[in-house]
């Protein structure tokens, strides 16, 4: 595939086991940038060996880190992937054909569809894991990432085309790693709530698990994916409850903010 004036940007921390696959899945990108927040494994060396320019940036939060990465790019059009994501061959072929037209247009961004690999194989029915639309391709002057510490999104005005073929996301190789991510994401989300002085509504918590589980397991069709569907719905519902309990603790016991930060840092979960 011919190189296109596109910058692939990936933010990393200890992603030695996935970064090569991610970078190699975008052979048409004229530039590949890895913004690393201090990896202690071979992430940086592997990224360089696979054609990336590596820039160090201490962890700012997901949204600010992505905006920092945007500023490192040489091209106006950018594609963002996480290290545990990669383009399918079908999407790589589709993008190589569609990108010249998208880049020549006034579109601010483009929607891609993400397919989730969970417990070793793709989910077949669970709606957020089958063709989930995500804005990951954008023009640097027409779109910007929100500054949220976690669950950031790309904001833009106007219509954007949607690509048909999916890119793939390996949603944690194991449940143990998923639970560690839940702790990390909950801490970041609660910090955002603290900044906004969000009210504590613990009275909602007994209902949150049931409602979140029913939404994912029934209405989002997780039950059709068997026990894997049950596991993903249960994990999502537990996360919804845990972050509310953790926020309540942060507000009522401010000392817990520092002790938790120390514990998360000790296990490399603070970025």
């Amino acid at each position: 595939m011919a190189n296109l004036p596109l910058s692939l940007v990936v933010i990393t921390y200890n992603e030695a086991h996935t970064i090569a696959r991610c970078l190699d899945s975008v052979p048409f990108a004229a530039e590949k940038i890895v913004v690393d927040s201090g990896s202690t494994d071979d992430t940086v060396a592997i990224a360089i060996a696979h054609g990336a320019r590596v820039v160090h940036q201490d962890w700012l939060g997901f949204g600010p880190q992505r905006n920092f990465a945007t500023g490192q790019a040489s091209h106006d059009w950018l594609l963002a992937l996480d290290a545990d994501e990669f383009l399918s061959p079908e999407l790589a072929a589709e993008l190589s054909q569609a990108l010249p037209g998208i880049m020549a247009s006034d579109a601010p961004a483009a929607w891609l569809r993400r397919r989730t690999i969970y417990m070793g194989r793709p989910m077949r029915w669970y709606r957020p894991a089958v063709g989930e639309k995500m804005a990951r391709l954008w023009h640097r002057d027409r779109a910007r990432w929100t500054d949220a510490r976690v669950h950031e999104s790309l904001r833009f005005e106007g219509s954007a085309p949607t690509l048909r073929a999916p890119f793939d996301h390996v949603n944690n190789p194991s449940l143990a790693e998923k639970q560690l991510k839940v702790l990390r994401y909950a801490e970041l989300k609660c910090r955002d709530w603290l900044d906004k002085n969000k009210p504590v509504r613990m009275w909602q918590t007994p209902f949150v698990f049931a409602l979140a589980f029913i939404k994912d397991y029934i209405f989002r069709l997780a039950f059709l994916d068997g026990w894997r569907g049950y596991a993903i719905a249960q994990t999502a519902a537990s996360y919804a409850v845990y972050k509310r309990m953790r926020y309540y603790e942060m507000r009522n016991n401010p000392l817990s903010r520092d002790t938790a930060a120390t514990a998360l840092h000790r296990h490399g979960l603070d970025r």
Side-chain angles (χ1 to χ4, degrees), residues 216-266:
D216 276 357
Y217 194 64
I218 303 299
F219 294 107
R220 290 181 168 178
L221 305 183
F223 72 96
L224 293 175
D225 278 303
W227 286 114
R228 291 190 306 141
Y230 177 87
I232 207 167
Q234 193 276 343
T235 302
S238 295
Y239 169 66
V241 170
Y242 173 76
K243 65 185 176 184
R244 286 164 173 81
M245 295 191 300
R246 177 67 182 119
Y247 182 58
Y248 172 81
E249 181 182 35
M250 282 185 172
R251 292 288 296 266
N252 286 273
N253 180 20
L255 180 62
S256 71
R257 304 173 195 176
D258 294 332
T259 57
T262 299
L264 291 169
H265 177 73
R266 186 165 59 247

Side-chain angles (χ1 to χ4, degrees), residues 146-206:
T146 59
D147 286 326
R149 288 185 176 91
V150 68
H151 304 315
E152 75 288 1
S153 60
L154 191 65
R155 297 293 176 85
F156 54 88
E157 295 182 357
S159 61
T162 300
L163 281 297
R164 297 183 63 182
F167 69 100
D168 287 308
H169 172 220
V170 181
N171 189 351
N172 307 112
S174 70
L175 281 176
E177 288 156 298
K178 178 64 176 178
Q179 293 302 318
L180 292 174
K181 180 176 283 188
V182 163
L183 291 175
R184 177 192 183 199
Y185 279 21
E187 201 73 12
L188 294 172
K189 189 64 177 178
C190 290
R191 294 280 178 171
D192 278 345
W193 287 349
L194 281 172
D195 290 347
K196 298 173 182 177
N197 198 28
K198 180 179 177 177
V200 176
R201 298 190 178 97
M202 279 298 289
W203 64 268
Q204 297 177 343
T205 304

Side-chain angles (χ1 to χ4, degrees), residues 3 7 16 30 33 36 53-54 66 72 87 93-94 116 130-131 149 172 186 212 227 251 257-258:
N3 280 356
S7 296
I33 300 170
D36 187 79
R53 174 166 61 90
V54 178
R66 291 197 194 278
Q72 306 307 302
L87 299 190
E94 183 179 1
T116 296
V130 182
R149 288 185 176 91
N172 307 112
W227 286 114
R251 292 288 296 266
R257 304 173 195 176
D258 294 332

